[in-house]
Amino acid sequence: MSVTLNSIAKQGKNGAAMMPIIQGVGRAAIEIAAVLRGAIFRGVLGKAGAENVQGEQQQLLDVLSDEIFLEEMRSTGFVCAVGSEEQEELLVIDEYTRSDYLVLVDPLDGSSNLDVDGPVGTIFSVVKRKTANSERPHVSDTLQSGQDVIAAGYVLYGPALMLVCSVGAGVSGYTFNPSNARFELSHPDIQIPETGGYYSVNESNADKWLDNMDANLERLKQETGLGMRYVGAMVADMHRTLLKGGIFLYPADDKNTTGKLRLLYEAIPMGFIMEQAGGKAMSRNDAVLNIEPETLHQRVPVYLGSKNAVDILFDN
Ligand code: AHG
Ligand code: MN
Ligand code: MN
């Protein structure tokens, strides 16, 4: 008998409470995967014609994925609000304002890959509300550091559909089995290799990087001889880094002076997974998980990978 997503319930002290939400993520993943596969036939490839709150062009699939994810979180009954990269304000789920949990989501990560049939993903994390259940959930409930994250993970829409997640007791990877329509545990207890792997970064920005990262990366390359891979979708680049080792980075540059990746939707969930897998997650000189968020859509520099590679980059 294969092990399915239900096995999350037995992990750590939060597994049972998180299972319905992670199952909801699994349902959203299956629906989003189906929409992605048929997108060209439904005419939903391309721009939505609007900009999101970050001033980025929304793709129709960003909007559809956001709707699907929100609907699945609503249907769990355990989520009182969702903060999404695609929504300016916190979305309160009116039927369940008394529920305990808030979910933060990047519904479709790497959307510039859509036009070229490249891999994309979904990234999520779960926190417990700070306001009383009798109150309406508030954006301040989402502004919690990575130390308060209860569960996080990502979906990778690649040749296989994968859900990688953690409830704070290690990292488990599940692969969707089309023959029984279930996510089955395919990668138990993922640990990032300590050596080897790749460095993964948009190196075309090197001459604009802040924090001396150009020189630091050259030193890392010389000391480790790491090869290079870059997909341009954080989920795909993170997944390879997790399984093969090395480092994924998106430094600040003179255009994005505080970095490009979003603290709540990308850096914290991926930092949580990376640390749970025995790796290291830095942002400038702070650990990603120690940053106290100030705003919903805040951006930060990100350095995730094998301890050794991150330490060499920071010259520790
Ligand atoms: P999103 O599609 O959710 O806006 O995220 C895109 C992010 C991330 O997936 C990736 O690591 C990075 O942007 C790639 O940026 P560049 O194109 O600047 O390399
Ligand atoms: Mn993203
Ligand atoms: Mn996105």
Side-chain angles (χ1 to χ4, degrees):
M1 178 70 181
S2 58
V3 178
T4 66
L5 267 188
N6 295 349
S7 62
I8 288 285
K10 298 196 200 94
Q11 291 186 15
K13 62 178 185 349
N14 293 312
M18 289 298 102
M19 192 182 74
I21 296 176
I22 290 175
Q23 284 176 325
V25 174
R27 288 193 301 276
I30 294 167
E31 289 166 59
I32 293 170
V35 170
L36 293 172
R37 273 197 299 273
I40 197 158
F41 308 111
R42 288 177 57 194
V44 291
L45 272 182
K47 296 184 177 30
E51 283 186 356
N52 66 13
V53 58
Q54 352 244 346
E56 294 159 345
Q57 274 286 341
Q58 274 181 317
Q59 307 248 17
L60 282 162
L61 287 168
D62 284 321
V63 177
L64 284 174
S65 306
D66 191 43
E67 286 171 7
I68 292 169
F69 192 89
L70 175 69
E71 214 32 60
E72 287 301 343
M73 290 303 103
R74 185 198 310 273
S75 79
T76 68
F78 290 93
V79 179
C80 63
V82 174
S84 166
E85 180 186 287
E86 301 302 335
Q87 302 281 344
E88 186 161 1
E89 311 278 350
L90 181 69
L91 273 161
V92 174
I93 299 182
D94 284 318
E95 303 94 302
Y96 298 110
T97 53
R98 302 183 72 89
S99 294
D100 282 337
Y101 300 105
L102 291 97
V103 177
L104 282 309
V105 67
D106 176 356
L108 202 53
D109 171 69
S111 43
S112 73
N113 278 352
L114 289 169
D115 291 339
V116 297
D117 201 24
V120 290
T122 295
I123 310 172
F124 72 97
S125 62
V126 185
V127 292
K128 194 164 189 177
R129 66 190 297 166
K130 297 230 149 141
T131 48
N133 293 61
S134 53
E135 287 175 32
R136 196 169 166 80
H138 186 258
V139 66
S140 61
D141 287 314
T142 66
L143 304 180
Q144 302 192 38
S145 86
Q147 304 293 349
D148 293 323
V149 165
I150 301 174
Y154 59 83
V155 176
L156 175 57
Y157 308 94
L161 175 61
M162 283 199 73
L163 198 168
V164 174
C165 61
S166 173
V167 292
V171 180
S172 305
Y174 299 84
T175 303
F176 183 70
N177 182 346
S179 71
N180 61 17
R182 288 187 169 154
F183 279 98
E184 295 185 11
L185 184 64
S186 52
H187 297 64
D189 195 20
I190 297 173
Q191 291 283 320
I192 185 170
E194 281 166 24
T195 56
Y198 303 92
Y199 74 95
S200 182
V201 64
N202 186 341
E203 220 169 350
S204 69
N205 295 328
D207 61 343
K208 303 186 206 74
W209 286 339
L210 306 180
D211 308 319
N212 206 36
M213 275 304 148
D214 195 2
N216 289 1
L217 183 67
E218 286 310 315
R219 191 184 59 247
L220 175 75
K221 284 156 64 175
Q222 288 202 345
E223 284 189 29
T224 60
L226 288 178
M228 189 271 197
R229 293 282 187 278
Y230 191 65
V231 172
M234 186 190 198
V235 169
D237 286 315
M238 164 77 179
H239 188 63
R240 185 194 50 255
T241 306
L242 203 59
L243 297 187
K244 303 286 186 189
I247 186 167
F248 165 79
L249 55 153
Y250 208 110
D253 58 48
D254 58 18
K255 230 172 46 203
N256 305 294
T257 53
T258 62
K260 176 183 181 189
L261 299 180
R262 275 97 351 168
L263 177 60
L264 287 171
Y265 315 120
E266 295 171 320
I268 288 180
M270 292 308 207
F272 185 82
I273 292 287
M274 187 51 84
E275 296 221 342
Q276 284 290 323
K280 195 161 179 175
M282 295 293 291
S283 175
R284 292 218 154 100
N285 296 318
D286 300 320
V288 168
L289 301 188
N290 288 342
I291 301 175
E292 294 292 342
E294 287 167 12
T295 58
L296 201 48
H297 300 290
Q298 179 177 349
R299 297 170 190 257
V300 292
V302 171
Y303 306 89
L304 307 170
S306 307
K307 269 189 185 135
N308 181 47
V310 176
D311 283 344
I312 295 174
L313 190 79
F314 281 86
D315 205 12
N316 284 334

